Amino acid sequence: MSLAFAIVLVVLITEFILWFGYSQIANLAYGVYLNAFERERIQKQRKIKRDILSIKHDLSRTSSQDQFAKWAKLRRKLDSKMSELEKITTSLVYLKTTFEIKFTTFLWVVANGVQIFMVIWYRSSPVFYLPQDWFSPITWIFSMPFAPSGSVSVPFWFFVCRKFVKKAIQIKRDAVPLYHKYAPESVKQHGQLLIQWCKTQIRIFTPIVVQWVNANVKTFCNIIAEKAKSSEEKKVPSPSTNGTSASTSNEEINDASKTEEKEEKILEKNRE
């Protein structure tokens, strides 16, 4: 039954992606990505916009005839700020397009690639077995194409789950106009208040969650870097050990030379 629940989960995720829309999910993910990894660039863009507004305000209050030097200086400053803002906006637009392409590709792989992989990998595996008395004349349909007879195959279970989820979404869409038409005003007001409260809570807690994730990722990376440095330091021998090894090797060489000299002296005495 774990395979059946896994297929149900995959179908729910894919149908939610299709119902919510690739572009909407990509926009939400892009906002999270900007807050997590491109916050400095966003803050710089906002600062430049504020500077441009202040310069325009000063420029509007400065006369180009009476205070030409000040006006020209403000104008040059405004042009430089506008060029900086244009560069940042073009880079952010390019980043957004590339991010949306990559993220939509990832969503497509999640929505379709996982299903294709599961259908191919579990093509001959039964999801679950049906009782023998149920659907006895047409049990072969449920086990198509390669599952054992009397069982439900993975493609057929995918088909059933998708149909059920799509039917539920259609019922929900049909029920929304009826709700707006026949629901009491008090219920509508409470529903709107609940939706607004949920939106405010999401806006409040999203930056907190992003900051927490960034902090944990940074600490995790620092821990890994420290472990790598410590392992490298352990591998590299210390200079003190090098000195001791060199001194021991010199002592061994001296001892060997002394023994050779003694042997030569003994041989000379024997010859005499």
Side-chain angles (χ1 to χ4, degrees), residues 168-181:
I169 292 170
Q170 188 64 36
I171 291 169
K172 182 257 180 188
R173 287 177 180 174
D174 294 337
V176 168
L178 296 174
Y179 167 78
H180 288 292
K181 187 175 181 180

mmCIF file with all atom_site columns, all heavy atoms in Angstrom, residues 168-181:
data_model
loop_
_atom_site.group_PDB
_atom_site.id
_atom_site.type_symbol
_atom_site.label_atom_id
_atom_site.label_alt_id
_atom_site.label_comp_id
_atom_site.label_asym_id
_atom_site.label_entity_id
_atom_site.label_seq_id
_atom_site.pdbx_PDB_ins_code
_atom_site.Cartn_x
_atom_site.Cartn_y
_atom_site.Cartn_z
_atom_site.occupancy
_atom_site.B_iso_or_equiv
_atom_site.pdbx_formal_charge
_atom_site.auth_seq_id
_atom_site.auth_comp_id
_atom_site.auth_asym_id
_atom_site.auth_atom_id
_atom_site.pdbx_PDB_model_num
ATOM 1   N N   . ALA A 1 168 ? -12.624 16.686 -8.051  1.00 0.00 ? 168 ALA A N   1
ATOM 2   C CA  . ALA A 1 168 ? -12.735 17.474 -6.816  1.00 0.00 ? 168 ALA A CA  1
ATOM 3   C C   . ALA A 1 168 ? -12.458 18.950 -7.084  1.00 0.00 ? 168 ALA A C   1
ATOM 4   O O   . ALA A 1 168 ? -13.145 19.836 -6.547  1.00 0.00 ? 168 ALA A O   1
ATOM 5   C CB  . ALA A 1 168 ? -11.763 16.932 -5.774  1.00 0.00 ? 168 ALA A CB  1
ATOM 6   N N   . ILE A 1 169 ? -11.472 19.240 -7.933  1.00 0.00 ? 169 ILE A N   1
ATOM 7   C CA  . ILE A 1 169 ? -11.174 20.639 -8.271  1.00 0.00 ? 169 ILE A CA  1
ATOM 8   C C   . ILE A 1 169 ? -12.344 21.264 -9.027  1.00 0.00 ? 169 ILE A C   1
ATOM 9   O O   . ILE A 1 169 ? -12.710 22.427 -8.799  1.00 0.00 ? 169 ILE A O   1
ATOM 10  C CB  . ILE A 1 169 ? -9.873  20.712 -9.088  1.00 0.00 ? 169 ILE A CB  1
ATOM 11  C CG1 . ILE A 1 169 ? -8.675  20.328 -8.211  1.00 0.00 ? 169 ILE A CG1 1
ATOM 12  C CG2 . ILE A 1 169 ? -9.666  22.108 -9.660  1.00 0.00 ? 169 ILE A CG2 1
ATOM 13  C CD1 . ILE A 1 169 ? -7.387  20.141 -8.972  1.00 0.00 ? 169 ILE A CD1 1
ATOM 14  N N   . GLN A 1 170 ? -12.950 20.498 -9.921  1.00 0.00 ? 170 GLN A N   1
ATOM 15  C CA  . GLN A 1 170 ? -14.096 21.014 -10.666 1.00 0.00 ? 170 GLN A CA  1
ATOM 16  C C   . GLN A 1 170 ? -15.281 21.290 -9.748  1.00 0.00 ? 170 GLN A C   1
ATOM 17  O O   . GLN A 1 170 ? -15.982 22.304 -9.894  1.00 0.00 ? 170 GLN A O   1
ATOM 18  C CB  . GLN A 1 170 ? -14.498 20.006 -11.751 1.00 0.00 ? 170 GLN A CB  1
ATOM 19  C CG  . GLN A 1 170 ? -15.559 20.514 -12.707 1.00 0.00 ? 170 GLN A CG  1
ATOM 20  C CD  . GLN A 1 170 ? -15.084 21.689 -13.526 1.00 0.00 ? 170 GLN A CD  1
ATOM 21  O OE1 . GLN A 1 170 ? -13.922 21.753 -13.918 1.00 0.00 ? 170 GLN A OE1 1
ATOM 22  N NE2 . GLN A 1 170 ? -15.975 22.633 -13.783 1.00 0.00 ? 170 GLN A NE2 1
ATOM 23  N N   . ILE A 1 171 ? -15.502 20.415 -8.778  1.00 0.00 ? 171 ILE A N   1
ATOM 24  C CA  . ILE A 1 171 ? -16.590 20.642 -7.812  1.00 0.00 ? 171 ILE A CA  1
ATOM 25  C C   . ILE A 1 171 ? -16.320 21.899 -6.993  1.00 0.00 ? 171 ILE A C   1
ATOM 26  O O   . ILE A 1 171 ? -17.224 22.696 -6.713  1.00 0.00 ? 171 ILE A O   1
ATOM 27  C CB  . ILE A 1 171 ? -16.751 19.406 -6.905  1.00 0.00 ? 171 ILE A CB  1
ATOM 28  C CG1 . ILE A 1 171 ? -17.302 18.230 -7.715  1.00 0.00 ? 171 ILE A CG1 1
ATOM 29  C CG2 . ILE A 1 171 ? -17.663 19.706 -5.724  1.00 0.00 ? 171 ILE A CG2 1
ATOM 30  C CD1 . ILE A 1 171 ? -17.250 16.909 -6.987  1.00 0.00 ? 171 ILE A CD1 1
ATOM 31  N N   . LYS A 1 172 ? -15.052 22.091 -6.627  1.00 0.00 ? 172 LYS A N   1
ATOM 32  C CA  . LYS A 1 172 ? -14.700 23.291 -5.865  1.00 0.00 ? 172 LYS A CA  1
ATOM 33  C C   . LYS A 1 172 ? -14.935 24.546 -6.695  1.00 0.00 ? 172 LYS A C   1
ATOM 34  O O   . LYS A 1 172 ? -15.456 25.565 -6.199  1.00 0.00 ? 172 LYS A O   1
ATOM 35  C CB  . LYS A 1 172 ? -13.246 23.182 -5.418  1.00 0.00 ? 172 LYS A CB  1
ATOM 36  C CG  . LYS A 1 172 ? -12.757 24.340 -4.560  1.00 0.00 ? 172 LYS A CG  1
ATOM 37  C CD  . LYS A 1 172 ? -11.904 25.289 -5.342  1.00 0.00 ? 172 LYS A CD  1
ATOM 38  C CE  . LYS A 1 172 ? -11.420 26.447 -4.482  1.00 0.00 ? 172 LYS A CE  1
ATOM 39  N NZ  . LYS A 1 172 ? -10.740 27.485 -5.277  1.00 0.00 ? 172 LYS A NZ  1
ATOM 40  N N   . ARG A 1 173 ? -14.564 24.507 -7.972  1.00 0.00 ? 173 ARG A N   1
ATOM 41  C CA  . ARG A 1 173 ? -14.788 25.669 -8.833  1.00 0.00 ? 173 ARG A CA  1
ATOM 42  C C   . ARG A 1 173 ? -16.274 25.959 -9.015  1.00 0.00 ? 173 ARG A C   1
ATOM 43  O O   . ARG A 1 173 ? -16.691 27.122 -9.071  1.00 0.00 ? 173 ARG A O   1
ATOM 44  C CB  . ARG A 1 173 ? -14.131 25.430 -10.191 1.00 0.00 ? 173 ARG A CB  1
ATOM 45  C CG  . ARG A 1 173 ? -12.614 25.509 -10.167 1.00 0.00 ? 173 ARG A CG  1
ATOM 46  C CD  . ARG A 1 173 ? -12.043 25.195 -11.531 1.00 0.00 ? 173 ARG A CD  1
ATOM 47  N NE  . ARG A 1 173 ? -10.584 25.275 -11.525 1.00 0.00 ? 173 ARG A NE  1
ATOM 48  C CZ  . ARG A 1 173 ? -9.814  24.930 -12.559 1.00 0.00 ? 173 ARG A CZ  1
ATOM 49  N NH1 . ARG A 1 173 ? -10.371 24.475 -13.679 1.00 0.00 ? 173 ARG A NH1 1
ATOM 50  N NH2 . ARG A 1 173 ? -8.503  25.037 -12.471 1.00 0.00 ? 173 ARG A NH2 1
ATOM 51  N N   . ASP A 1 174 ? -17.060 24.912 -9.119  1.00 0.00 ? 174 ASP A N   1
ATOM 52  C CA  . ASP A 1 174 ? -18.504 25.119 -9.262  1.00 0.00 ? 174 ASP A CA  1
ATOM 53  C C   . ASP A 1 174 ? -19.143 25.598 -7.966  1.00 0.00 ? 174 ASP A C   1
ATOM 54  O O   . ASP A 1 174 ? -20.175 26.275 -7.991  1.00 0.00 ? 174 ASP A O   1
ATOM 55  C CB  . ASP A 1 174 ? -19.170 23.815 -9.709  1.00 0.00 ? 174 ASP A CB  1
ATOM 56  C CG  . ASP A 1 174 ? -18.730 23.397 -11.104 1.00 0.00 ? 174 ASP A CG  1
ATOM 57  O OD1 . ASP A 1 174 ? -18.288 24.278 -11.877 1.00 0.00 ? 174 ASP A OD1 1
ATOM 58  O OD2 . ASP A 1 174 ? -18.803 22.191 -11.410 1.00 0.00 ? 174 ASP A OD2 1
ATOM 59  N N   . ALA A 1 175 ? -18.530 25.240 -6.829  1.00 0.00 ? 175 ALA A N   1
ATOM 60  C CA  . ALA A 1 175 ? -19.120 25.620 -5.545  1.00 0.00 ? 175 ALA A CA  1
ATOM 61  C C   . ALA A 1 175 ? -18.806 27.055 -5.156  1.00 0.00 ? 175 ALA A C   1
ATOM 62  O O   . ALA A 1 175 ? -19.536 27.658 -4.366  1.00 0.00 ? 175 ALA A O   1
ATOM 63  C CB  . ALA A 1 175 ? -18.627 24.680 -4.446  1.00 0.00 ? 175 ALA A CB  1
ATOM 64  N N   . VAL A 1 176 ? -17.725 27.635 -5.694  1.00 0.00 ? 176 VAL A N   1
ATOM 65  C CA  . VAL A 1 176 ? -17.354 29.004 -5.318  1.00 0.00 ? 176 VAL A CA  1
ATOM 66  C C   . VAL A 1 176 ? -18.421 30.017 -5.721  1.00 0.00 ? 176 VAL A C   1
ATOM 67  O O   . VAL A 1 176 ? -18.818 30.872 -4.915  1.00 0.00 ? 176 VAL A O   1
ATOM 68  C CB  . VAL A 1 176 ? -15.975 29.361 -5.907  1.00 0.00 ? 176 VAL A CB  1
ATOM 69  C CG1 . VAL A 1 176 ? -15.697 30.850 -5.786  1.00 0.00 ? 176 VAL A CG1 1
ATOM 70  C CG2 . VAL A 1 176 ? -14.889 28.576 -5.197  1.00 0.00 ? 176 VAL A CG2 1
ATOM 71  N N   . PRO A 1 177 ? -18.957 29.997 -6.953  1.00 0.00 ? 177 PRO A N   1
ATOM 72  C CA  . PRO A 1 177 ? -20.036 30.952 -7.269  1.00 0.00 ? 177 PRO A CA  1
ATOM 73  C C   . PRO A 1 177 ? -21.273 30.763 -6.405  1.00 0.00 ? 177 PRO A C   1
ATOM 74  O O   . PRO A 1 177 ? -21.934 31.746 -6.030  1.00 0.00 ? 177 PRO A O   1
ATOM 75  C CB  . PRO A 1 177 ? -20.335 30.661 -8.742  1.00 0.00 ? 177 PRO A CB  1
ATOM 76  C CG  . PRO A 1 177 ? -19.111 30.026 -9.267  1.00 0.00 ? 177 PRO A CG  1
ATOM 77  C CD  . PRO A 1 177 ? -18.558 29.238 -8.139  1.00 0.00 ? 177 PRO A CD  1
ATOM 78  N N   . LEU A 1 178 ? -21.593 29.508 -6.089  1.00 0.00 ? 178 LEU A N   1
ATOM 79  C CA  . LEU A 1 178 ? -22.742 29.269 -5.220  1.00 0.00 ? 178 LEU A CA  1
ATOM 80  C C   . LEU A 1 178 ? -22.505 29.836 -3.823  1.00 0.00 ? 178 LEU A C   1
ATOM 81  O O   . LEU A 1 178 ? -23.426 30.362 -3.187  1.00 0.00 ? 178 LEU A O   1
ATOM 82  C CB  . LEU A 1 178 ? -23.025 27.765 -5.141  1.00 0.00 ? 178 LEU A CB  1
ATOM 83  C CG  . LEU A 1 178 ? -23.433 27.088 -6.461  1.00 0.00 ? 178 LEU A CG  1
ATOM 84  C CD1 . LEU A 1 178 ? -23.539 25.586 -6.257  1.00 0.00 ? 178 LEU A CD1 1
ATOM 85  C CD2 . LEU A 1 178 ? -24.760 27.652 -6.961  1.00 0.00 ? 178 LEU A CD2 1
ATOM 86  N N   . TYR A 1 179 ? -21.264 29.738 -3.361  1.00 0.00 ? 179 TYR A N   1
ATOM 87  C CA  . TYR A 1 179 ? -20.934 30.304 -2.048  1.00 0.00 ? 179 TYR A CA  1
ATOM 88  C C   . TYR A 1 179 ? -21.123 31.815 -2.051  1.00 0.00 ? 179 TYR A C   1
ATOM 89  O O   . TYR A 1 179 ? -21.719 32.391 -1.137  1.00 0.00 ? 179 TYR A O   1
ATOM 90  C CB  . TYR A 1 179 ? -19.493 29.933 -1.695  1.00 0.00 ? 179 TYR A CB  1
ATOM 91  C CG  . TYR A 1 179 ? -18.923 30.707 -0.535  1.00 0.00 ? 179 TYR A CG  1
ATOM 92  C CD1 . TYR A 1 179 ? -19.256 30.385 0.773   1.00 0.00 ? 179 TYR A CD1 1
ATOM 93  C CD2 . TYR A 1 179 ? -18.047 31.771 -0.756  1.00 0.00 ? 179 TYR A CD2 1
ATOM 94  C CE1 . TYR A 1 179 ? -18.737 31.098 1.841   1.00 0.00 ? 179 TYR A CE1 1
ATOM 95  C CE2 . TYR A 1 179 ? -17.521 32.487 0.303   1.00 0.00 ? 179 TYR A CE2 1
ATOM 96  C CZ  . TYR A 1 179 ? -17.868 32.149 1.597   1.00 0.00 ? 179 TYR A CZ  1
ATOM 97  O OH  . TYR A 1 179 ? -17.356 32.862 2.645   1.00 0.00 ? 179 TYR A OH  1
ATOM 98  N N   . HIS A 1 180 ? -20.603 32.475 -3.095  1.00 0.00 ? 180 HIS A N   1
ATOM 99  C CA  . HIS A 1 180 ? -20.749 33.932 -3.164  1.00 0.00 ? 180 HIS A CA  1
ATOM 100 C C   . HIS A 1 180 ? -22.204 34.357 -3.366  1.00 0.00 ? 180 HIS A C   1
ATOM 101 O O   . HIS A 1 180 ? -22.579 35.481 -3.018  1.00 0.00 ? 180 HIS A O   1
ATOM 102 C CB  . HIS A 1 180 ? -19.888 34.485 -4.298  1.00 0.00 ? 180 HIS A CB  1
ATOM 103 C CG  . HIS A 1 180 ? -18.417 34.440 -3.999  1.00 0.00 ? 180 HIS A CG  1
ATOM 104 N ND1 . HIS A 1 180 ? -17.818 35.216 -3.039  1.00 0.00 ? 180 HIS A ND1 1
ATOM 105 C CD2 . HIS A 1 180 ? -17.422 33.680 -4.536  1.00 0.00 ? 180 HIS A CD2 1
ATOM 106 C CE1 . HIS A 1 180 ? -16.518 34.963 -2.989  1.00 0.00 ? 180 HIS A CE1 1
ATOM 107 N NE2 . HIS A 1 180 ? -16.249 34.030 -3.891  1.00 0.00 ? 180 HIS A NE2 1
ATOM 108 N N   . LYS A 1 181 ? -23.004 33.466 -3.914  1.00 0.00 ? 181 LYS A N   1
ATOM 109 C CA  . LYS A 1 181 ? -24.389 33.834 -4.200  1.00 0.00 ? 181 LYS A CA  1
ATOM 110 C C   . LYS A 1 181 ? -25.310 33.585 -3.014  1.00 0.00 ? 181 LYS A C   1
ATOM 111 O O   . LYS A 1 181 ? -26.185 34.413 -2.703  1.00 0.00 ? 181 LYS A O   1
ATOM 112 C CB  . LYS A 1 181 ? -24.878 33.045 -5.419  1.00 0.00 ? 181 LYS A CB  1
ATOM 113 C CG  . LYS A 1 181 ? -26.253 33.465 -5.906  1.00 0.00 ? 181 LYS A CG  1
ATOM 114 C CD  . LYS A 1 181 ? -26.617 32.719 -7.179  1.00 0.00 ? 181 LYS A CD  1
ATOM 115 C CE  . LYS A 1 181 ? -27.993 33.154 -7.691  1.00 0.00 ? 181 LYS A CE  1
ATOM 116 N NZ  . LYS A 1 181 ? -28.367 32.435 -8.934  1.00 0.00 ? 181 LYS A NZ  1
#
